[in-house]
Amino acid sequence: MKQKNINMLITDTQILLGAIFTVFQIEQLADRCQKVCDSNPYLFTSGWDKIFTEQEILGDSKIMRIDRLMVNTAEKVVLIADYKSGDIYDSNQLANYKTALSKLPVFKGYNIDTRIVIV
């Protein structure tokens, strides 16, 4: 992202949330967001023609919520991205998402991949 756009977003955030967060906190958050984006460029490539956030699916009689579900219909590829901010998480979570998606008729013949995105 261009520095001009980043500065504009920081200014807009300061206007909206300046009574809650300090300028320093907002700048730290912006820096952290930029690092996550820079570290995970695949999240922003143009091949994904369908992107869903907080997508709910039914798996084994329970509702699961996928942080980011990206679909490339031309290449029949699905990417499940799961955001993590700490060290504690269910190591089977992504496998469970993948299993549930693979059972859906809409994804028959699709290659389903998973990634953890550390934020």
Side-chain angles (χ1 to χ4, degrees), residues 5-119:
N5 293 342
I6 293 169
N7 291 340
M8 185 174 64
L9 291 171
I10 290 172
T11 300
D12 289 348
T13 304
Q14 289 170 342
I15 291 168
L16 291 172
L17 302 173
I20 301 170
F21 299 104
T22 66
V23 171
F24 179 72
Q25 289 172 316
I26 292 170
E27 288 173 347
Q28 278 187 313
L29 182 59
D31 184 52
R32 186 173 176 179
C33 289
Q34 185 63 49
K35 287 177 182 172
V36 170
C37 292
D38 291 345
S39 300
N40 301 281
Y42 58 88
L43 292 173
F44 308 102
T45 57
S46 61
W48 307 110
D49 54 313
K50 296 180 193 275
I51 299 174
F52 306 92
T53 57
E54 299 295 322
Q55 181 63 45
E56 291 184 346
I57 60 170
L58 182 62
D60 294 333
S61 302
K62 69 176 184 175
I63 294 178
M64 298 185 285
R65 186 173 294 126
I66 298 173
D67 291 339
R68 186 175 177 96
L69 176 65
M70 303 164 56
V71 182
N72 180 324
T73 54
E75 296 184 25
K76 291 193 167 240
V77 174
V78 173
L79 178 63
I80 301 166
D82 193 49
Y83 300 116
K84 297 295 178 199
S85 60
D87 295 332
I88 301 171
Y89 59 90
D90 179 1
S91 60
N92 296 320
Q93 184 177 13
L94 287 173
N96 293 337
Y97 291 164
K98 184 175 181 175
T99 298
L101 279 183
S102 67
K103 293 178 180 178
L104 297 175
V106 70
F107 293 122
K108 184 176 182 173
Y110 275 71
N111 179 32
I112 301 173
D113 194 15
T114 61
R115 300 239 180 128
I116 292 176
V117 178
I118 304 296
V119 296

